[in-house]
Structure formats: structure tokens, C-alpha cells
Coordinates of all heavy atoms in Angstrom, one line a residue:
M1 N 100.9 110.1 88.4 CA 100.3 109.5 89.6 C 101.3 108.4 90.0 O 101.6 107.6 89.2 CB 98.9 109.0 89.3 CG 98.3 108.5 90.6 SD 96.5 108.0 90.3 CE 95.8 109.6 90.4
T2 N 101.6 108.4 91.3 CA 102.5 107.3 91.8 C 101.8 106.1 92.1 O 100.6 106.1 92.2 CB 103.3 107.8 93.0 OG1 102.3 108.0 94.1 CG2 104.0 109.1 92.8
G3 N 102.5 105.0 92.3 CA 101.9 103.7 92.6 C 101.2 103.8 94.0 O 100.1 103.2 94.1
E4 N 101.8 104.5 94.9 CA 101.1 104.7 96.2 C 99.8 105.4 96.1 O 98.9 105.1 96.8 CB 102.1 105.4 97.2 CG 103.2 104.6 97.7 CD 104.1 105.3 98.6 OE1 103.6 106.2 99.4 OE2 105.3 105.1 98.6
E5 N 99.8 106.4 95.3 CA 98.5 107.2 95.1 C 97.4 106.3 94.5 O 96.3 106.3 94.9 CB 98.7 108.4 94.2 CG 99.6 109.4 94.9 CD 100.0 110.6 93.9 OE1 100.1 110.3 92.7 OE2 100.1 111.7 94.4
I6 N 97.8 105.4 93.5 CA 96.9 104.5 92.9 C 96.3 103.5 93.9 O 95.1 103.3 94.0 CB 97.5 103.8 91.7 CG1 97.8 104.7 90.6 CG2 96.6 102.6 91.2 CD1 98.6 104.2 89.5
V7 N 97.2 102.9 94.7 CA 96.8 102.0 95.8 C 95.9 102.7 96.8 O 94.9 102.1 97.2 CB 98.0 101.4 96.5 CG1 97.6 100.6 97.7 CG2 98.8 100.5 95.6
S8 N 96.2 103.9 97.1 CA 95.3 104.7 98.0 C 93.9 104.9 97.4 O 92.9 104.7 98.1 CB 96.0 106.0 98.4 OG 95.1 106.8 99.2
L9 N 93.9 105.2 96.2 CA 92.6 105.4 95.5 C 91.8 104.1 95.5 O 90.6 104.1 95.7 CB 92.8 105.9 94.1 CG 93.2 107.4 93.9 CD1 93.5 107.7 92.5 CD2 92.1 108.3 94.4
I10 N 92.5 103.0 95.2 CA 91.8 101.7 95.1 C 91.3 101.3 96.5 O 90.1 100.9 96.7 CB 92.7 100.6 94.6 CG1 93.0 100.9 93.1 CG2 92.1 99.2 94.8 CD1 94.1 100.0 92.5
R11 N 92.1 101.5 97.6 CA 91.7 101.2 98.9 C 90.5 102.1 99.3 O 89.5 101.6 99.9 CB 92.8 101.5 99.9 CG 93.8 100.3 99.9 CD 94.8 100.5 101.0 NE 95.8 99.4 101.0 CZ 96.8 99.3 101.7 NH1 97.1 100.2 102.6 NH2 97.6 98.2 101.7
D12 N 90.5 103.3 98.9 CA 89.3 104.2 99.2 C 88.1 103.7 98.5 O 87.0 103.7 99.1 CB 89.6 105.7 98.8 CG 90.7 106.3 99.7 OD1 91.0 105.8 100.8 OD2 91.2 107.4 99.3
A13 N 88.2 103.3 97.3 CA 87.1 102.8 96.5 C 86.5 101.6 97.1 O 85.3 101.4 97.2 CB 87.4 102.6 95.1
V14 N 87.4 100.7 97.6 CA 87.0 99.4 98.2 C 86.3 99.7 99.5 O 85.2 99.1 99.8 CB 88.2 98.5 98.4 CG1 87.8 97.3 99.3 CG2 88.7 98.0 97.1
D15 N 86.8 100.6 100.3 CA 86.2 101.0 101.6 C 84.8 101.6 101.3 O 83.9 101.2 102.1 CB 87.0 102.0 102.3 CG 88.3 101.4 102.9 OD1 88.4 100.2 103.0 OD2 89.2 102.2 103.2
V16 N 84.6 102.4 100.3 CA 83.3 102.9 100.0 C 82.3 101.8 99.6 O 81.2 101.8 100.1 CB 83.4 104.0 98.9 CG1 82.0 104.4 98.4 CG2 84.1 105.3 99.5
A17 N 82.8 100.9 98.7 CA 81.9 99.8 98.3 C 81.5 98.9 99.4 O 80.4 98.5 99.5 CB 82.7 99.0 97.2
V18 N 82.5 98.6 100.3 CA 82.2 97.8 101.5 C 81.2 98.5 102.4 O 80.3 97.9 102.9 CB 83.5 97.4 102.3 CG1 83.2 96.8 103.6 CG2 84.3 96.5 101.4
A19 N 81.4 99.8 102.6 CA 80.5 100.6 103.5 C 79.1 100.6 102.9 O 78.1 100.6 103.7 CB 81.0 102.0 103.6
E20 N 78.9 100.6 101.6 CA 77.6 100.6 101.0 C 76.9 99.3 101.2 O 75.7 99.3 101.3 CB 77.7 100.9 99.5 CG 78.1 102.4 99.2 CD 78.3 102.6 97.8 OE1 78.2 101.7 97.0 OE2 78.5 103.8 97.4
K21 N 77.6 98.2 101.3 CA 77.0 96.9 101.4 C 76.9 96.4 102.8 O 76.3 95.3 103.1 CB 77.8 95.9 100.6 CG 77.7 96.1 99.1 CD 78.3 95.0 98.3 CE 78.1 95.3 96.9 NZ 78.6 94.2 96.0
S22 N 77.4 97.1 103.8 CA 77.4 96.7 105.2 C 77.2 97.9 106.1 O 77.1 99.0 105.6 CB 78.7 96.0 105.6 OG 79.8 96.9 105.5
S23 N 77.0 97.6 107.4 CA 76.8 98.7 108.3 C 78.1 99.4 108.5 O 79.1 98.9 108.3 CB 76.3 98.1 109.6 OG 77.3 97.4 110.3
P24 N 78.0 100.7 109.0 CA 79.2 101.5 109.2 C 80.2 100.8 110.2 O 81.4 100.9 110.0 CB 78.7 102.8 109.8 CG 77.3 102.9 109.3 CD 76.8 101.5 109.2
V25 N 79.7 100.1 111.2 CA 80.5 99.5 112.2 C 81.4 98.4 111.5 O 82.6 98.2 111.7 CB 79.7 98.9 113.3 CG1 80.6 98.1 114.2 CG2 79.0 100.0 114.1
Q26 N 80.7 97.5 110.6 CA 81.4 96.5 109.9 C 82.5 97.0 109.0 O 83.5 96.5 108.9 CB 80.4 95.6 109.2 CG 79.6 94.8 110.1 CD 78.5 94.0 109.3 OE1 78.2 94.4 108.2 NE2 78.0 92.9 109.8
A27 N 82.2 98.1 108.3 CA 83.1 98.7 107.3 C 84.4 99.2 108.0 O 85.5 99.0 107.5 CB 82.5 99.9 106.6
K28 N 84.3 99.7 109.2 CA 85.5 100.2 110.0 C 86.3 99.0 110.4 O 87.5 99.1 110.5 CB 85.1 101.0 111.2 CG 84.5 102.3 110.8 CD 84.2 103.1 112.1 CE 83.5 104.4 111.8 NZ 83.2 105.2 113.0
D29 N 85.7 97.8 110.7 CA 86.4 96.7 111.2 C 87.1 95.9 110.1 O 87.9 95.0 110.4 CB 85.5 95.8 111.9 CG 85.0 96.4 113.2 OD1 85.6 97.4 113.7 OD2 83.9 96.0 113.7
K30 N 86.9 96.2 108.8 CA 87.5 95.5 107.7 C 89.0 95.7 107.7 O 89.5 96.8 107.8 CB 87.0 95.9 106.4 CG 85.6 95.5 106.1 CD 85.5 94.0 105.7 CE 84.1 93.6 105.3 NZ 84.0 92.2 105.2
K31 N 89.8 94.6 107.6 CA 91.2 94.7 107.5 C 91.6 94.3 106.1 O 91.6 93.1 105.7 CB 91.9 93.8 108.5 CG 93.4 93.9 108.5 CD 94.0 93.1 109.6 CE 95.5 93.2 109.6 NZ 96.1 92.2 110.5
L32 N 92.0 95.3 105.3 CA 92.4 95.0 103.9 C 93.9 95.0 103.8 O 94.6 95.9 104.4 CB 91.8 96.1 102.9 CG 90.3 96.1 102.8 CD1 89.9 97.3 101.9 CD2 89.8 94.8 102.2
L33 N 94.4 94.0 103.2 CA 95.8 93.8 103.0 C 96.2 94.0 101.5 O 95.5 93.4 100.7 CB 96.3 92.4 103.5 CG 95.9 92.1 105.0 CD1 96.2 90.7 105.3 CD2 96.7 93.0 105.9
H34 N 97.3 94.7 101.3 CA 97.7 95.0 99.9 C 98.8 94.0 99.5 O 99.9 94.1 100.0 CB 98.2 96.4 99.8 CG 98.7 96.7 98.5 ND1 100.1 96.8 98.2 CD2 98.2 97.0 97.3 CE1 100.3 97.1 97.0 NE2 99.1 97.2 96.4
G35 N 98.5 93.2 98.5 CA 99.5 92.3 97.9 C 99.7 91.0 98.7 O 99.4 90.8 99.8
K36 N 100.4 90.1 97.9 CA 100.7 88.7 98.5 C 101.6 88.8 99.6 O 101.5 88.1 100.6 CB 101.3 87.9 97.4 CG 100.4 87.6 96.2 CD 101.1 86.7 95.2 CE 100.3 86.6 93.9 NZ 101.1 85.8 92.9
K37 N 102.6 89.7 99.6 CA 103.6 89.8 100.6 C 103.0 90.2 102.0 O 103.3 89.6 103.0 CB 104.7 90.8 100.2 CG 105.9 90.8 101.2 CD 106.9 91.9 100.7 CE 108.1 91.2 100.1 NZ 109.1 92.2 99.8
E38 N 102.1 91.2 101.9 CA 101.4 91.6 103.2 C 100.5 90.5 103.7 O 100.5 90.3 104.9 CB 100.6 92.9 102.9 CG 100.3 93.7 104.1 CD 99.7 95.1 103.7 OE1 100.2 95.8 102.8 OE2 98.7 95.4 104.3
L39 N 99.8 89.8 102.9 CA 99.0 88.7 103.3 C 99.8 87.6 103.9 O 99.5 87.0 105.0 CB 98.1 88.1 102.2 CG 97.2 87.0 102.6 CD1 96.1 87.4 103.7 CD2 96.5 86.4 101.4
A40 N 100.9 87.3 103.2 CA 101.8 86.2 103.7 C 102.4 86.6 105.1 O 102.4 85.7 106.0 CB 103.0 86.0 102.8
R41 N 102.7 87.8 105.3 CA 103.2 88.3 106.6 C 102.2 88.1 107.7 O 102.4 87.7 108.8 CB 103.7 89.7 106.5 CG 104.5 90.2 107.7 CD 105.1 91.6 107.5 NE 105.8 91.8 106.3 CZ 105.4 92.7 105.4 NH1 104.4 93.5 105.6 NH2 106.2 92.8 104.3
A42 N 100.9 88.5 107.3 CA 99.8 88.5 108.3 C 99.5 87.0 108.7 O 99.1 86.8 109.8 CB 98.6 89.2 107.7
L43 N 99.6 86.1 107.8 CA 99.3 84.7 108.1 C 100.5 83.9 108.4 O 100.4 82.7 108.7 CB 98.6 84.1 106.8 CG 97.3 84.7 106.4 CD1 96.8 84.1 105.2 CD2 96.3 84.6 107.5
S44 N 101.7 84.5 108.5 CA 102.9 83.7 108.8 C 103.2 82.6 107.9 O 103.5 81.5 108.3 CB 102.9 83.3 110.2 OG 102.8 84.4 111.1
V45 N 103.0 82.8 106.6 CA 103.3 81.8 105.5 C 104.2 82.5 104.5 O 104.4 83.7 104.5 CB 102.0 81.2 104.9 CG1 101.2 80.5 105.9 CG2 101.2 82.3 104.2
S46 N 104.7 81.7 103.5 CA 105.5 82.3 102.5 C 104.6 82.8 101.4 O 103.4 82.5 101.2 CB 106.4 81.2 101.9 OG 105.6 80.2 101.2
V47 N 105.2 83.7 100.5 CA 104.5 84.3 99.4 C 104.1 83.2 98.4 O 103.1 83.3 97.8 CB 105.4 85.4 98.7 CG1 104.7 85.9 97.5 CG2 105.7 86.5 99.7
S48 N 105.0 82.2 98.3 CA 104.6 81.1 97.3 C 103.4 80.3 97.8 O 102.6 79.8 97.0 CB 105.8 80.1 97.1 OG 106.2 79.5 98.3
T49 N 103.2 80.2 99.1 CA 102.0 79.6 99.7 C 100.8 80.4 99.3 O 99.8 79.8 98.9 CB 102.2 79.4 101.2 OG1 103.3 78.5 101.4 CG2 100.9 78.8 101.8
V50 N 100.9 81.7 99.5 CA 99.7 82.6 99.1 C 99.4 82.4 97.7 O 98.3 82.3 97.3 CB 100.0 84.0 99.5 CG1 99.0 85.0 98.9 CG2 100.1 84.2 101.0
S51 N 100.5 82.4 96.8 CA 100.2 82.2 95.4 C 99.5 80.9 95.1 O 98.6 80.8 94.2 CB 101.6 82.2 94.6 OG 102.2 83.5 94.7
R52 N 99.9 79.8 95.7 CA 99.2 78.5 95.6 C 97.8 78.6 96.0 O 96.9 78.1 95.3 CB 100.0 77.5 96.4 CG 100.1 76.1 95.8 CD 101.0 75.1 96.4 NE 101.1 75.2 97.9 CZ 102.2 75.7 98.5 NH1 103.3 76.1 97.7 NH2 102.3 75.8 99.8
W53 N 97.5 79.2 97.2 CA 96.2 79.4 97.7 C 95.3 80.2 96.7 O 94.1 80.0 96.6 CB 96.2 80.0 99.0 CG 96.6 79.1 100.1 CD1 96.7 77.8 100.1 CD2 97.0 79.5 101.4 NE1 97.2 77.3 101.3 CE2 97.4 78.4 102.2 CE3 97.1 80.8 102.1 CZ2 97.8 78.4 103.5 CZ3 97.5 80.8 103.4 CH2 97.9 79.6 104.1
L54 N 95.9 81.2 96.0 CA 95.1 82.0 95.1 C 94.7 81.2 93.9 O 93.6 81.5 93.3 CB 96.0 83.2 94.6 CG 96.0 84.5 95.4 CD1 97.0 85.4 94.9 CD2 94.6 85.1 95.3
E55 N 95.4 80.2 93.5 CA 95.0 79.3 92.4 C 93.9 78.3 92.8 O 93.1 77.9 92.0 CB 96.2 78.5 91.9 CG 97.2 79.4 91.2 CD 98.5 78.6 90.9 OE1 98.5 77.4 91.0 OE2 99.5 79.3 90.4
S56 N 93.9 78.0 94.1 CA 92.9 76.9 94.5 C 91.9 77.3 95.6 O 90.8 76.8 95.6 CB 93.8 75.7 95.0 OG 94.5 76.1 96.2
T57 N 92.3 78.1 96.5 CA 91.4 78.3 97.7 C 90.9 79.7 97.9 O 89.7 79.9 98.2 CB 92.3 78.0 99.0 OG1 92.8 76.6 98.8 CG2 91.4 78.0 100.2
I58 N 91.7 80.7 97.8 CA 91.2 82.1 98.0 C 90.6 82.6 96.8 O 91.2 82.8 95.7 CB 92.4 83.0 98.4 CG1 93.1 82.5 99.6 CG2 92.0 84.4 98.6 CD1 94.4 83.2 100.0
K59 N 89.3 82.9 96.9 CA 88.5 83.4 95.8 C 87.7 84.7 96.2 O 87.6 85.0 97.3 CB 87.4 82.3 95.4 CG 88.0 81.0 95.0 CD 88.8 81.0 93.8 CE 89.4 79.7 93.4 NZ 90.4 79.7 92.4
P60 N 87.2 85.4 95.2 CA 86.4 86.6 95.5 C 85.2 86.2 96.4 O 84.7 85.1 96.2 CB 85.9 87.1 94.1 CG 86.9 86.6 93.2 CD 87.4 85.3 93.7
P61 N 84.8 87.0 97.3 CA 85.1 88.4 97.6 C 86.3 88.6 98.5 O 86.6 89.7 98.9 CB 83.8 88.9 98.2 CG 83.3 87.7 98.9 CD 83.7 86.5 98.1
A62 N 87.0 87.5 98.8 CA 88.1 87.6 99.8 C 89.3 88.3 99.1 O 90.1 88.9 99.8 CB 88.6 86.3 100.3
V63 N 89.4 88.3 97.8 CA 90.4 88.9 97.0 C 89.8 89.8 96.0 O 88.8 89.5 95.3 CB 91.4 87.9 96.4 CG1 90.7 87.0 95.4 CG2 92.5 88.6 95.7
I64 N 90.3 91.0 95.9 CA 89.9 92.0 94.9 C 91.0 92.2 93.9 O 92.1 92.6 94.4 CB 89.4 93.3 95.5 CG1 88.3 93.0 96.5 CG2 89.0 94.3 94.5 CD1 88.0 94.2 97.4
R65 N 90.8 92.0 92.6 CA 91.9 92.2 91.7 C 91.5 93.5 90.9 O 90.4 93.6 90.3 CB 92.0 91.1 90.7 CG 92.4 89.8 91.3 CD 92.4 88.7 90.3 NE 92.7 87.4 91.0 CZ 93.9 86.8 91.0 NH1 94.9 87.3 90.4 NH2 94.0 85.6 91.6
A66 N 92.5 94.4 90.8 CA 92.3 95.6 90.0 C 93.6 95.7 89.2 O 94.6 96.3 89.6 CB 92.2 96.9 90.9
G67 N 93.6 95.1 88.0 CA 94.8 95.0 87.2 C 95.8 94.1 87.9 O 95.5 93.0 88.2
R68 N 96.9 94.7 88.2 CA 98.0 93.9 88.9 C 97.9 94.1 90.4 O 98.7 93.5 91.1 CB 99.3 94.4 88.4 CG 99.6 94.0 86.9 CD 100.9 94.4 86.4 NE 102.0 93.9 87.2 CZ 103.2 94.2 87.0 NH1 103.6 95.0 86.1 NH2 104.1 93.7 87.8
V69 N 97.0 94.9 90.9 CA 96.9 95.1 92.3 C 96.0 94.1 92.9 O 94.9 93.8 92.4 CB 96.4 96.6 92.6 CG1 96.2 96.8 94.0 CG2 97.3 97.6 92.0
L70 N 96.4 93.5 94.0 CA 95.6 92.6 94.8 C 95.3 93.1 96.2 O 96.2 93.6 96.9 CB 96.3 91.2 95.0 CG 96.5 90.4 93.7 CD1 97.4 89.2 94.0 CD2 95.2 90.0 93.1
L71 N 94.0 93.1 96.6 CA 93.6 93.5 97.9 C 92.9 92.3 98.5 O 92.1 91.7 97.9 CB 92.7 94.7 97.9 CG 93.3 96.0 97.5 CD1 92.2 97.1 97.4 CD2 94.4 96.5 98.4
F72 N 93.3 92.0 99.8 CA 92.7 90.9 100.5 C 92.0 91.3 101.7 O 92.4 92.1 102.4 CB 93.8 89.9 100.9 CG 94.6 89.3 99.8 CD1 95.8 89.9 99.4 CD2 94.2 88.2 99.2 CE1 96.5 89.4 98.3 CE2 94.9 87.6 98.1 CZ 96.1 88.2 97.7
D73 N 90.8 90.8 101.9 CA 90.0 91.0 103.1 C 90.4 89.9 104.1 O 90.2 88.7 103.9 CB 88.5 90.8 102.8 CG 87.7 91.1 104.0 OD1 88.0 90.6 105.1 OD2 86.6 91.7 103.9
H74 N 91.2 90.3 105.1 CA 91.8 89.3 106.0 C 90.8 88.4 106.6 O 91.1 87.1 106.6 CB 92.5 90.1 107.1 CG 93.3 89.3 108.1 ND1 92.7 88.9 109.3 CD2 94.5 88.7 108.0 CE1 93.6 88.2 109.9 NE2 94.7 88.0 109.2
D75 N 89.7 88.8 107.1 CA 88.7 88.0 107.7 C 88.1 87.0 106.7 O 87.9 85.8 107.0 CB 87.6 88.8 108.3 CG 88.1 89.6 109.5 OD1 89.1 89.2 110.1 OD2 87.5 90.7 109.7
L76 N 87.8 87.4 105.5 CA 87.2 86.5 104.5 C 88.3 85.5 104.0 O 87.9 84.3 103.8 CB 86.7 87.3 103.3 CG 85.4 88.1 103.5 CD1 85.1 88.9 102.3 CD2 84.3 87.2 104.0
V77 N 89.5 85.9 104.0 CA 90.6 84.9 103.6 C 90.7 83.8 104.7 O 90.7 82.6 104.4 CB 91.9 85.6 103.4 CG1 93.1 84.6 103.3 CG2 91.9 86.5 102.2
L78 N 90.7 84.2 105.9 CA 90.7 83.2 107.0 C 89.5 82.3 107.0 O 89.7 81.1 107.2 CB 90.8 83.9 108.4 CG 92.1 84.6 108.8 CD1 91.9 85.3 110.1 CD2 93.2 83.6 108.8
E79 N 88.4 82.8 106.7 CA 87.1 82.0 106.6 C 87.3 81.0 105.5 O 86.9 79.8 105.7 CB 85.9 82.9 106.4 CG 84.6 82.2 106.4 CD 83.5 83.2 106.3 OE1 83.5 84.2 106.9 OE2 82.6 82.9 105.5
Q80 N 87.7 81.4 104.3 CA 87.9 80.5 103.2 C 88.9 79.4 103.5 O 88.7 78.3 103.2 CB 88.2 81.3 101.9 CG 87.1 82.0 101.4 CD 87.4 82.8 100.1 OE1 88.5 82.6 99.5 NE2 86.5 83.5 99.6
L81 N 90.0 79.8 104.2 CA 91.0 78.8 104.5 C 90.5 77.8 105.5 O 90.8 76.6 105.4 CB 92.3 79.5 105.0 CG 93.1 80.4 104.0 CD1 94.2 81.1 104.7 CD2 93.6 79.5 102.9
K82 N 89.8 78.3 106.5 CA 89.2 77.3 107.5 C 88.2 76.4 106.9 O 88.1 75.2 107.3 CB 88.6 78.1 108.6 CG 89.6 78.8 109.5 CD 88.9 79.5 110.7 CE 89.9 80.2 111.6 NZ 89.3 80.9 112.7
N83 N 87.5 76.8 105.9 CA 86.5 75.9 105.2 C 87.1 75.0 104.1 O 86.4 74.2 103.6 CB 85.4 76.8 104.6 CG 84.6 77.5 105.7 OD1 84.5 77.0 106.8 ND2 84.0 78.6 105.4
C84 N 88.4 75.2 103.9 CA 89.0 74.3 102.8 C 89.4 73.0 103.4 O 90.0 72.9 104.4 CB 90.2 75.0 102.3 SG 91.1 74.1 101.0
D85 N 89.0 71.9 102.7 CA 89.2 70.5 103.2 C 90.7 70.1 103.1 O 91.2 69.4 103.9 CB 88.4 69.5 102.4 CG 86.9 69.7 102.7 OD1 86.6 70.1 103.8 OD2 86.1 69.4 101.8
G86 N 91.4 70.7 102.2 CA 92.8 70.2 101.9 C 93.8 70.9 102.8 O 95.0 70.6 102.7
L87 N 93.4 71.8 103.7 CA 94.4 72.5 104.5 C 94.3 72.0 106.0 O 93.3 71.8 106.5 CB 94.2 74.0 104.5 CG 94.4 74.7 103.1 CD1 94.0 76.1 103.3 CD2 95.8 74.5 102.7
R88 N 95.5 71.9 106.6 CA 95.5 71.7 108.0 C 95.4 73.0 108.7 O 96.2 73.9 108.3 CB 96.8 71.0 108.5 CG 96.9 69.5 107.9 CD 98.2 69.0 108.3 NE 99.2 69.8 107.5 CZ 100.5 69.6 107.5 NH1 101.0 68.7 108.3 NH2 101.3 70.3 106.8
W89 N 94.6 73.2 109.7 CA 94.4 74.5 110.3 C 94.5 74.3 111.8 O 93.8 73.5 112.4 CB 93.1 75.1 109.9 CG 92.9 76.5 110.4 CD1 92.3 76.9 111.5 CD2 93.4 77.6 109.7 NE1 92.4 78.3 111.6 CE2 93.1 78.7 110.5 CE3 94.1 77.8 108.6 CZ2 93.5 80.0 110.2 CZ3 94.5 79.1 108.2 CH2 94.1 80.2 109.1
N90 N 95.3 75.2 112.4 CA 95.4 75.2 113.9 C 94.9 76.6 114.3 O 95.6 77.6 114.0 CB 96.8 75.0 114.4 CG 97.3 73.6 114.0 OD1 96.5 72.7 114.0 ND2 98.6 73.5 113.8
D91 N 93.9 76.7 115.1 CA 93.5 78.0 115.7 C 94.5 78.3 116.8 O 94.8 77.5 117.7 CB 92.1 77.9 116.3 CG 91.0 77.9 115.2 OD1 91.3 78.6 114.2 OD2 90.0 77.3 115.4
R92 N 95.0 79.5 116.7 CA 96.0 80.0 117.7 C 95.4 81.0 118.6 O 94.6 81.7 118.4 CB 97.2 80.5 117.1 CG 97.9 79.5 116.2 CD 99.1 80.1 115.6 NE 99.6 79.1 114.6 CZ 100.6 79.3 113.9 NH1 101.2 80.4 113.9 NH2 101.0 78.4 113.1

């Protein structure tokens, strides 16, 4: 099994779990990002910044860890970052 197939299986499992806990409309609107690099690109920050946030700010359920694989719920990450006192935040 390739890495891409594993990631696909994990994303499918997460989608099913999210769909079970929320309405079908909300499940379709979830934006899951794979890995620190993808999250950093989406937030226009460096990968080292994402790593720092993982140690202090970004917590479950915004991040799902499956071994070495990280999946981020974009909306929940933004919500946690906005609620963090130590970060300067500009809504764009």
C-alpha cells in the first residue's frame, strides 16, 4: 500500500466520522488539510510556525494524529488561533 493510499483511507475515515457527528451539509463543508506544509500554505505562514502552534495552540479536534500523519480541520484551526491570547490576528 502506498503512502497516498493510506492518506486517502485516513481522509475517508475522518470524513465518515465527521459525517456521523454532524449534519450532511456540515460534513461536505469541512476542509481537511494534510500535513504541516499544507496548513502553512493555507494560512500563509512558515512550517516552523505551524510546528510552534502545534506545541501550544492547535489542539484536538482541530488536529487529528494517526501515527505520523496529521490532518487539520481548517475552520477549527482558525477558530483556535483567533481565540488564542498570545497571537496577533488580522481578519482579511
